[in-house]
Amino acid sequence: MAADGPAYGLSGHDTVVLDDVAIAWMGSLSELPDGHRTASVLDLEGRLVTPALIDCHTHLVHGGNRAKEFEMRLNGASYEDIARAGGGIVSTVAATRAATEDDLVDSALPRLDTLLAEGVATVEIKSGYGLDTETELRMLRAARRLAELRPVAVQTSFLGAHAVPPEFSGRNDAYIDDECIPALRVAQAEGLVDAVDAFCEGIAFSPVEVARVFDVARELNLPVKIHAEQLSDLGGAAMAAAYGALSADHLEYLGEAGVVALAKAGTTAVILPGAFYTLRETQVPPIDLLRENGVPMAVATDANPGSSPLTSLLLTMNMASTLFRLTPEEALAGTTRNAARALGLSDRGVIAPGLRADLAVWDVEEPAELVYRMGYNPLFTRIVGGEL
């Protein structure tokens, strides 16, 4: 799959030459330049080659799980019932604070391995379940370590503005001043942050509160992202677009003004069907409006212990098409080219000379099979940074 051309960007080329971590040349074998004719050959026997997949929105690093909460909800418990029983994000915060860095790494590895087995080579991982400086830093360090233990690129997002911890209940501004912003400054100084994220929603932070965090991100030369318009339209996506946000994620309640703001800013919309499915929501993102305004759409798992315990990007692509009516071509672009864009990565997501040699090889006859099947993994092999 190349950057442009016919459906799915299929190039029709039968030969790709890799030079260390990058793609050196692509074309027909009959046109192979003499300088590449001595290279070792891997015969893929006509299989489909795509860019390696990119999961651009995950919360892979966390302590504990919320299976009990899931069961309670299905047995009729309300949000308030679950909260009184110690459930919700508070339970994940408590479990994450109690976990060591090694604990966090060990628990995240199986989740990461599941993604890699489906052709993923780049994963974004957020903090946001510590909500104090010590634990937020521990989460980010654990995320960085994952890239040392597996052949994968990890992009980290600081999500200190995810929720207000119990000790700051009702004091959002105090939390931002006393914990969130100081933690961000330390994390940036230690080189642990690639982007800054925030949850802008009635149950989390207002646009004005998020803007205070984004002002510090701008001061630190860090790009921003936002969880916005998942449960209501507070204008968070438009606010983030004004900061040149890389992405705005969820967006079920995004209105036309927000769509226009994303289009003008070049911000990518990240579609997260896992949370929609798990929470049994009914309001779908404005896919047609996003299309009409030329807003690029990425697709991601939102892998997290509460609202999207999903670690299959292939299934996520199917859900994006089935639940939100993305075409299979849009879903595949959403986990390659547009997912790279959502992370500000211009060196991957398409197959072209000079870009990273991150490739996925599939046992399929048609690209649509990657989106069509459920519970079936047709991956033949991954090539990451030129390494099989």
Side-chain angles (χ1 to χ4, degrees):
M1 292 183 63
D4 50 29
Y8 293 95
L10 289 172
S11 69
H13 297 149
D14 61 12
T15 304
V16 178
V17 178
L18 309 183
D19 181 10
D20 196 17
V21 300
I23 298 167
W25 182 86
M26 59 188 293
S28 298
L29 181 60
S30 61
E31 300 170 349
L32 184 67
D34 289 341
H36 295 311
R37 290 190 178 274
T38 59
S40 59
V41 176
L42 174 63
D43 185 359
L44 299 176
E45 301 178 336
R47 291 180 172 88
L48 176 70
V49 179
T50 72
L53 303 186
I54 298 169
D55 196 348
C56 65
H57 181 132
T58 86
H59 306 253
L60 279 183
V61 172
H62 60 79
N65 68 73
R66 307 250 281 276
K68 184 62 178 177
E69 172 184 329
F70 172 76
E71 184 176 28
M72 289 175 65
R73 187 164 59 241
L74 291 176
N75 285 328
S78 67
Y79 181 85
E80 289 76 15
D81 294 334
I82 292 169
R84 281 196 296 270
I89 192 173
V90 173
S91 67
T92 300
V93 170
T96 304
R97 288 179 174 180
T100 66
E101 185 178 316
D102 286 343
D103 291 337
L104 294 174
V105 170
D106 290 345
S107 65
L109 277 173
R111 296 187 281 269
L112 177 62
D113 286 341
T114 303
L115 290 172
L116 303 191
E118 291 190 346
V120 172
T122 301
V123 178
E124 184 260 13
I125 301 177
K126 305 178 191 296
S127 68
Y129 289 123
L131 307 182
D132 61 31
T133 299
E134 179 183 353
T135 316
E136 290 292 298
L137 295 175
R138 191 185 312 140
M139 292 183 70
L140 293 168
R141 292 187 190 111
R144 289 284 199 232
R145 279 180 57 191
L146 293 175
E148 299 171 2
L149 297 171
R150 294 292 188 269
V152 64
V154 171
Q155 292 288 113
T156 56
S157 295
F158 175 84
L159 184 56
H162 190 195
V164 180
E167 63 269 27
F168 283 92
S169 180
R171 298 186 296 131
N172 290 24
D173 285 326
Y175 169 69
I176 291 172
D177 286 335
D178 298 345
E179 204 67 65
C180 181
I181 289 176
L184 171 56
R185 292 188 183 279
V186 175
Q188 188 272 343
E190 291 191 15
L192 296 173
V193 186
D194 296 313
V196 175
D197 201 342
F199 186 20
C200 184
E201 193 52 76
I203 60 172
F205 297 93
S206 71
V208 171
E209 291 163 345
V210 171
R212 296 177 56 217
V213 179
F214 284 2
D215 285 340
V216 176
R218 177 180 284 172
E219 173 195 331
L220 297 174
N221 294 314
L222 292 170
V224 301
K225 307 165 68 67
I226 195 166
H227 293 57
E229 276 68 81
Q230 180 183 9
L231 305 173
S232 61
D233 189 354
L234 296 184
M239 181 276 295
Y243 282 84
L246 291 174
S247 74
D249 305 26
H250 286 292
L251 305 179
E252 282 86 340
Y253 285 82
L254 182 69
E256 185 169 5
V259 172
V260 171
L262 296 183
K264 288 182 177 177
T267 298
T268 298
V270 179
I271 307 303
L272 303 170
F276 176 91
Y277 169 85
T278 301
L279 298 176
R280 294 188 287 183
E281 294 290 346
T282 57
Q283 176 84 16
V284 302
I287 301 299
D288 287 339
L289 266 179
L290 292 167
R291 279 195 196 110
E292 291 165 10
N293 285 272
V295 178
M297 291 182 286
V299 175
T301 62
D302 189 20
N304 74 70
S307 63
S308 187
L310 173 62
T311 52
S312 170
L313 195 53
L314 292 176
L315 178 57
T316 303
M317 292 159 63
N318 176 276
M319 293 167 70
S321 293
T322 303
L323 299 175
F324 296 159
R325 297 297 186 263
L326 268 69
T327 67
E329 185 173 359
E330 287 173 329
L332 186 54
T335 56
T336 53
R337 179 175 65 246
N338 290 340
R341 181 181 177 130
L343 297 177
L345 299 174
S346 59
D347 65 344
R348 68 200 71 187
V350 298
I351 302 175
L355 300 190
R356 273 184 63 87
D358 287 353
L359 307 173
V361 184
W362 308 95
D363 273 319
V364 299
E365 295 181 7
E366 302 284 344
E369 288 184 57
L370 300 178
V371 182
Y372 147 75
R373 297 189 186 276
M374 294 181 285
Y376 175 72
N377 180 4
L379 185 74
F380 176 72
T381 193
R382 284 189 322 148
I383 297 171
V384 182
E387 294 289 330
L388 187 66

